[in-house]
Amino acid sequence: MSFRLKAASGGATGQTFDLADEATSIGSDENAHIRLDGLRPDHAQIRFDGTTLMLHAESDAWVNGSPVARQPLKSGDEIRLGEHRFVLQAPGLRPPSVLQQTDRPRINPMTWVAIAAVALGGAGAIITFVLSRL
C-alpha cells in the first residue's frame, strides 16, 4: 500500500510527499527523503514493516495533538514536526472523520403549539386594538 503525507501548514503547505516502501526520513539534512527547513537534520522517520506504519521521532513530534517519540500511525492522523503539520493519507482508505456529526436537538411539538398560540394571541390583540379605534 502506498502512503503519503499532505502538508497542512508550514513552508510546504499543500505539497504531497509519497512515503518510501520501508522507511522515509524527514528533516533538514540534504539527504532526507522529505527535506524541510526548520527541523533537525534527522528529525523523524516513518517506517513501514508490512503491517504497521510507525513514526520514530528524534525531536519534537505530535500525533493528533499528543506529544510522541514513537507512535503507530493510521490514515487521517495529523502529524506535527516542529512547525510543520501533515495529514497522513493512505490512498483507497477513508480516514476516520475528524468531526463528529451530532444530532440537532428536536423541538417538542408542544413548543410549536405554544409559539402559534402566542402569535395568534398577539395578532388577535392587534386586530382588537385597531378595530376599537375605528
Side-chain angles (χ1 to χ4, degrees), residues 9-84:
S9 70
T13 300
Q15 293 182 37
T16 301
F17 302 94
D18 290 329
L19 300 183
D21 289 336
E22 294 179 12
T24 302
S25 58
I26 306 168
S28 60
D29 186 271
E30 64 183 40
N31 294 320
H33 291 103
I34 301 174
R35 187 176 182 285
L36 299 167
D37 293 331
L39 297 181
R40 298 184 60 87
D42 58 347
H43 200 98
Q45 194 175 77
I46 297 177
R47 298 181 196 148
F48 184 59
D49 66 7
T51 55
T52 304
L53 192 65
M54 184 75 69
L55 172 70
H56 298 268
E58 298 296 325
S59 198
D60 297 338
W62 294 263
V63 174
N64 300 322
S66 298
V68 299
R70 187 170 184 263
Q71 175 74 31
L73 301 171
K74 64 187 178 311
S75 183
D77 280 347
E78 180 188 279
I79 302 164
R80 184 162 60 101
L81 304 172
E83 298 302 317
H84 300 274

